[in-house]
């Protein structure tokens, strides 16, 4: 099968996988990440096919969408194999997806250019105006408050604390979103992150000004 057709089939597969998500991992997140990843790749290089498939598939192994990470990875490998993607490319994509998630910051660093690009694109979609919207959508979906002055932001969390501990949408900016800018991998990604970061800083200033504190 030619590459264009594989990409089209991958889009159908991923759209179906994400259809019941309301926690910020919906199909529009995947489309934005894929678009940003392609534009970073345009500036920074990398194999465009690997970048696009990895961006489209990047949240399939996320356990928040149902199955475990291992089952999700297996599903991706199986789908790509069935559609005639070379083993070498499947291995590259598998490596990217298994290294990708932030998980409270405790993962090994990404070590391929394509992986760095997709990771930057995912991080860019977590900051700026869209990142703000997603943090509140996620909090609403999980029953977390918008803000609670008695709950301080946490540092150095274990994965369990990050995922299941008690927090607020506003704390999430301090626990994760404001840190993302400094972890960007690519030059072009850094440039895009800077602008989105400044927008969040301004947003938080306004938020606290309206709290009267
Ligand atoms: P990762 O798995 O890469 O750490 P997530 O999948 O948890 O990231 O994040 C998906 C989206 O949901 C992001 O935009 C993120 O900011 C938001 N999010 C994740 N955890 C929280 C949280 N505890 N409070 C508010 N938003 C969150
Ligand atoms: Ni994502």
């Amino acid at each position: 099968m030619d590459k264009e057709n594989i990409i089209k089939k991958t889009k159908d597969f991923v759209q179906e996988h994400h259809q019941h998500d309301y926690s910020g991992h919906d199909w529009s997140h995947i489309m934005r990440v894929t678009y940003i990843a392609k534009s970073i790749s345009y500036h920074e290089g990398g194999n465009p096919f690997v970048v696009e498939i990895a961006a489209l598939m990047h949240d399939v192994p996320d356990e928040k969408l149902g199955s475990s990470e291992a089952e999700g990875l297996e599903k991706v490998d199986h789908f790509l194999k069935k559609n005639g993607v070379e083993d070498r490319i499947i291995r590259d994509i598998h490596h990217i997806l298994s290294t990708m998630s932030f998980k409270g910051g405790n993962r090994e660093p990404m070590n391929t250019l394509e992986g760095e690009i997709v990771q930057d694109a995912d991080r860019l979609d977590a900051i700026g105006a869209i990142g703000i919207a997603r943090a509140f959508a996620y909090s609403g979906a999980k029953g977390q408050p918008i803000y609670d002055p008695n709950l301080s932001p946490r540092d150095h969390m274990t994965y369990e604390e990050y995922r299941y501990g008690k927090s607020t949408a506003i704390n999430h900016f301090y626990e994760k979103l404001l840190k993302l800018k400094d972890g960007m991998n690519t030059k072009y990604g850094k440039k895009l992150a800077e602008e989105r970061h400044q927008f969040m800083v301004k947003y938080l200033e306004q938020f606290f000004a309206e709290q009267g504190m």
Side-chain angles (χ1 to χ4, degrees), residues 1 6 10 13 49 53 57 73-91 93:
M1 200 186 303
I6 296 172
T10 304
F13 168 82
F49 181 71
I53 299 285
M57 293 289 208
L73 285 168
E74 173 74 41
K75 223 174 139 177
V76 172
D77 289 351
H78 178 78
F79 173 88
L80 296 175
K81 182 112 194 129
K82 194 176 76 188
N83 286 290
V85 176
E86 288 167 65
D87 285 347
R88 181 176 54 89
I89 302 271
I90 298 180
R91 270 199 303 277
I93 292 169

Short mmCIF file of all heavy atoms in Angstrom, two decimals, residues 1 6 10 13 49 53 57 73-91 93:
data_model
loop_
_atom_site.label_atom_id
_atom_site.label_comp_id
_atom_site.label_asym_id
_atom_site.label_seq_id
_atom_site.Cartn_x
_atom_site.Cartn_y
_atom_site.Cartn_z
N MET A 1 0.85 -1.20 0.00
CA MET A 1 0.00 0.00 0.00
C MET A 1 0.89 1.26 0.00
O MET A 1 1.91 1.28 0.68
CB MET A 1 -0.87 -0.01 1.27
CG MET A 1 -2.08 0.89 1.14
SD MET A 1 -3.02 1.01 2.67
CE MET A 1 -3.42 -0.69 3.03
N ILE A 6 -1.83 4.59 3.51
CA ILE A 6 -1.60 4.14 4.90
C ILE A 6 -1.98 5.28 5.85
O ILE A 6 -2.64 5.07 6.88
CB ILE A 6 -0.13 3.71 5.11
CG1 ILE A 6 0.18 2.50 4.23
CG2 ILE A 6 0.13 3.40 6.58
CD1 ILE A 6 1.63 2.09 4.21
N THR A 10 -4.79 5.17 8.66
CA THR A 10 -4.40 5.44 10.06
C THR A 10 -5.34 6.49 10.66
O THR A 10 -5.77 6.36 11.81
CB THR A 10 -2.93 5.93 10.12
OG1 THR A 10 -2.11 4.96 9.49
CG2 THR A 10 -2.48 6.14 11.55
N PHE A 13 -8.55 4.84 11.62
CA PHE A 13 -8.32 3.98 12.79
C PHE A 13 -8.24 4.81 14.07
O PHE A 13 -8.86 4.51 15.09
CB PHE A 13 -7.01 3.21 12.54
CG PHE A 13 -6.45 2.48 13.74
CD1 PHE A 13 -6.95 1.23 14.10
CD2 PHE A 13 -5.40 3.02 14.47
CE1 PHE A 13 -6.41 0.55 15.19
CE2 PHE A 13 -4.86 2.36 15.56
CZ PHE A 13 -5.37 1.10 15.92
N PHE A 49 7.11 10.58 6.98
CA PHE A 49 6.12 9.51 7.16
C PHE A 49 6.10 9.04 8.62
O PHE A 49 5.04 8.91 9.23
CB PHE A 49 6.45 8.34 6.21
CG PHE A 49 5.50 7.19 6.30
CD1 PHE A 49 4.19 7.30 5.82
CD2 PHE A 49 5.90 5.98 6.86
CE1 PHE A 49 3.30 6.23 5.90
CE2 PHE A 49 5.03 4.90 6.93
CZ PHE A 49 3.72 5.03 6.46
N ILE A 53 2.78 9.43 11.06
CA ILE A 53 2.12 8.25 11.67
C ILE A 53 2.28 8.30 13.20
O ILE A 53 1.32 8.05 13.94
CB ILE A 53 2.70 6.92 11.12
CG1 ILE A 53 2.47 6.81 9.61
CG2 ILE A 53 2.09 5.72 11.86
CD1 ILE A 53 1.07 6.50 9.16
N MET A 57 -0.77 8.46 15.91
CA MET A 57 -0.94 7.32 16.84
C MET A 57 -0.54 7.65 18.28
O MET A 57 -0.70 6.81 19.15
CB MET A 57 -0.04 6.16 16.38
CG MET A 57 -0.42 5.52 15.06
SD MET A 57 -1.94 4.56 15.26
CE MET A 57 -1.71 3.33 13.97
N LEU A 73 0.14 -0.27 22.44
CA LEU A 73 1.33 -0.41 21.57
C LEU A 73 1.17 -1.60 20.63
O LEU A 73 1.50 -1.54 19.45
CB LEU A 73 2.59 -0.56 22.42
CG LEU A 73 3.09 0.71 23.11
CD1 LEU A 73 4.16 0.40 24.15
CD2 LEU A 73 3.65 1.71 22.08
N GLU A 74 0.66 -2.67 21.19
CA GLU A 74 0.42 -3.90 20.43
C GLU A 74 -0.58 -3.65 19.28
O GLU A 74 -0.38 -4.09 18.15
CB GLU A 74 -0.13 -4.93 21.45
CG GLU A 74 -0.60 -6.23 20.90
CD GLU A 74 0.56 -7.13 20.51
OE1 GLU A 74 1.55 -7.15 21.27
OE2 GLU A 74 0.48 -7.76 19.43
N LYS A 75 -1.62 -2.88 19.62
CA LYS A 75 -2.65 -2.55 18.64
C LYS A 75 -2.05 -1.75 17.47
O LYS A 75 -2.35 -1.99 16.31
CB LYS A 75 -3.70 -1.68 19.34
CG LYS A 75 -5.12 -2.03 19.01
CD LYS A 75 -6.08 -1.21 19.87
CE LYS A 75 -7.25 -0.76 19.01
NZ LYS A 75 -8.27 -0.02 19.73
N VAL A 76 -1.17 -0.79 17.82
CA VAL A 76 -0.51 0.05 16.80
C VAL A 76 0.38 -0.82 15.91
O VAL A 76 0.30 -0.77 14.68
CB VAL A 76 0.32 1.17 17.46
CG1 VAL A 76 1.16 1.91 16.42
CG2 VAL A 76 -0.58 2.15 18.20
N ASP A 77 1.23 -1.66 16.54
CA ASP A 77 2.15 -2.53 15.78
C ASP A 77 1.35 -3.41 14.82
O ASP A 77 1.69 -3.55 13.64
CB ASP A 77 2.92 -3.46 16.72
CG ASP A 77 3.96 -2.71 17.54
OD1 ASP A 77 4.19 -1.51 17.26
OD2 ASP A 77 4.53 -3.31 18.47
N HIS A 78 0.28 -3.99 15.34
CA HIS A 78 -0.53 -4.92 14.56
C HIS A 78 -1.16 -4.21 13.36
O HIS A 78 -1.12 -4.70 12.24
CB HIS A 78 -1.60 -5.51 15.48
CG HIS A 78 -2.52 -6.44 14.78
ND1 HIS A 78 -2.16 -7.73 14.47
CD2 HIS A 78 -3.78 -6.27 14.29
CE1 HIS A 78 -3.16 -8.31 13.82
NE2 HIS A 78 -4.15 -7.43 13.70
N PHE A 79 -1.70 -3.03 13.62
CA PHE A 79 -2.35 -2.25 12.55
C PHE A 79 -1.34 -1.92 11.44
O PHE A 79 -1.62 -2.07 10.25
CB PHE A 79 -2.95 -0.96 13.13
CG PHE A 79 -3.47 -0.02 12.09
CD1 PHE A 79 -4.78 -0.13 11.63
CD2 PHE A 79 -2.65 0.96 11.53
CE1 PHE A 79 -5.26 0.72 10.64
CE2 PHE A 79 -3.12 1.81 10.54
CZ PHE A 79 -4.43 1.69 10.09
N LEU A 80 -0.14 -1.47 11.84
CA LEU A 80 0.86 -1.06 10.84
C LEU A 80 1.34 -2.27 10.04
O LEU A 80 1.51 -2.20 8.82
CB LEU A 80 2.02 -0.33 11.52
CG LEU A 80 1.66 1.00 12.21
CD1 LEU A 80 2.87 1.56 12.95
CD2 LEU A 80 1.15 2.04 11.20
N LYS A 81 1.54 -3.38 10.73
CA LYS A 81 2.01 -4.61 10.07
C LYS A 81 0.97 -5.06 9.04
O LYS A 81 1.30 -5.37 7.90
CB LYS A 81 2.23 -5.67 11.16
CG LYS A 81 2.76 -6.98 10.69
CD LYS A 81 4.18 -7.20 11.20
CE LYS A 81 4.81 -8.34 10.45
NZ LYS A 81 6.10 -8.05 9.89
N LYS A 82 -0.28 -5.08 9.48
CA LYS A 82 -1.39 -5.52 8.62
C LYS A 82 -1.48 -4.66 7.35
O LYS A 82 -1.88 -5.11 6.29
CB LYS A 82 -2.68 -5.37 9.43
CG LYS A 82 -3.88 -6.07 8.86
CD LYS A 82 -5.06 -5.93 9.80
CE LYS A 82 -5.64 -4.51 9.69
NZ LYS A 82 -6.67 -4.21 10.68
N ASN A 83 -1.07 -3.39 7.49
CA ASN A 83 -1.16 -2.48 6.34
C ASN A 83 0.15 -2.35 5.57
O ASN A 83 0.34 -1.41 4.80
CB ASN A 83 -1.69 -1.12 6.79
CG ASN A 83 -3.18 -1.20 7.07
OD1 ASN A 83 -3.98 -1.35 6.15
ND2 ASN A 83 -3.54 -1.17 8.34
N GLY A 84 1.06 -3.29 5.79
CA GLY A 84 2.26 -3.40 4.98
C GLY A 84 3.38 -2.43 5.29
O GLY A 84 4.26 -2.21 4.45
N VAL A 85 3.37 -1.82 6.49
CA VAL A 85 4.47 -0.91 6.85
C VAL A 85 5.71 -1.76 7.19
O VAL A 85 5.61 -2.80 7.85
CB VAL A 85 4.07 -0.01 8.05
CG1 VAL A 85 5.22 0.87 8.50
CG2 VAL A 85 2.85 0.83 7.69
N GLU A 86 6.88 -1.30 6.71
CA GLU A 86 8.13 -2.04 6.96
C GLU A 86 8.42 -2.19 8.45
O GLU A 86 8.20 -1.24 9.21
CB GLU A 86 9.33 -1.25 6.43
CG GLU A 86 9.50 -1.17 4.95
CD GLU A 86 10.54 -0.10 4.65
OE1 GLU A 86 11.72 -0.27 5.03
OE2 GLU A 86 10.16 0.93 4.05
N ASP A 87 9.02 -3.33 8.82
CA ASP A 87 9.33 -3.60 10.24
C ASP A 87 10.19 -2.50 10.87
O ASP A 87 10.00 -2.12 12.02
CB ASP A 87 10.08 -4.93 10.37
CG ASP A 87 9.13 -6.11 10.18
OD1 ASP A 87 7.90 -5.88 10.20
OD2 ASP A 87 9.61 -7.23 9.98
N ARG A 88 11.15 -2.01 10.09
CA ARG A 88 12.07 -0.99 10.61
C ARG A 88 11.29 0.27 11.03
O ARG A 88 11.53 0.87 12.07
CB ARG A 88 13.07 -0.66 9.49
CG ARG A 88 14.12 0.34 9.77
CD ARG A 88 15.05 0.45 8.55
NE ARG A 88 14.31 0.73 7.31
CZ ARG A 88 14.02 1.96 6.87
NH1 ARG A 88 14.38 3.01 7.55
NH2 ARG A 88 13.35 2.12 5.74
N ILE A 89 10.32 0.65 10.20
CA ILE A 89 9.51 1.84 10.48
C ILE A 89 8.59 1.56 11.69
O ILE A 89 8.40 2.42 12.56
CB ILE A 89 8.65 2.21 9.24
CG1 ILE A 89 9.54 2.47 8.03
CG2 ILE A 89 7.71 3.36 9.53
CD1 ILE A 89 10.03 3.87 7.85
N ILE A 90 8.04 0.35 11.75
CA ILE A 90 7.17 -0.01 12.89
C ILE A 90 7.97 0.09 14.19
O ILE A 90 7.48 0.63 15.19
CB ILE A 90 6.58 -1.44 12.73
CG1 ILE A 90 5.71 -1.50 11.47
CG2 ILE A 90 5.79 -1.84 13.97
CD1 ILE A 90 5.07 -2.85 11.19
N ARG A 91 9.22 -0.38 14.14
CA ARG A 91 10.07 -0.31 15.35
C ARG A 91 10.33 1.14 15.75
O ARG A 91 10.27 1.49 16.93
CB ARG A 91 11.41 -1.02 15.11
CG ARG A 91 11.37 -2.49 15.47
CD ARG A 91 12.77 -3.05 15.69
NE ARG A 91 13.64 -2.86 14.52
CZ ARG A 91 13.66 -3.69 13.46
NH1 ARG A 91 12.88 -4.76 13.45
NH2 ARG A 91 14.46 -3.45 12.44
N ILE A 93 8.44 3.76 15.18
CA ILE A 93 7.20 4.35 15.71
C ILE A 93 6.91 3.80 17.11
O ILE A 93 6.58 4.56 18.03
CB ILE A 93 6.03 4.10 14.73
CG1 ILE A 93 6.27 4.92 13.45
CG2 ILE A 93 4.68 4.45 15.37
CD1 ILE A 93 5.38 4.62 12.30
#
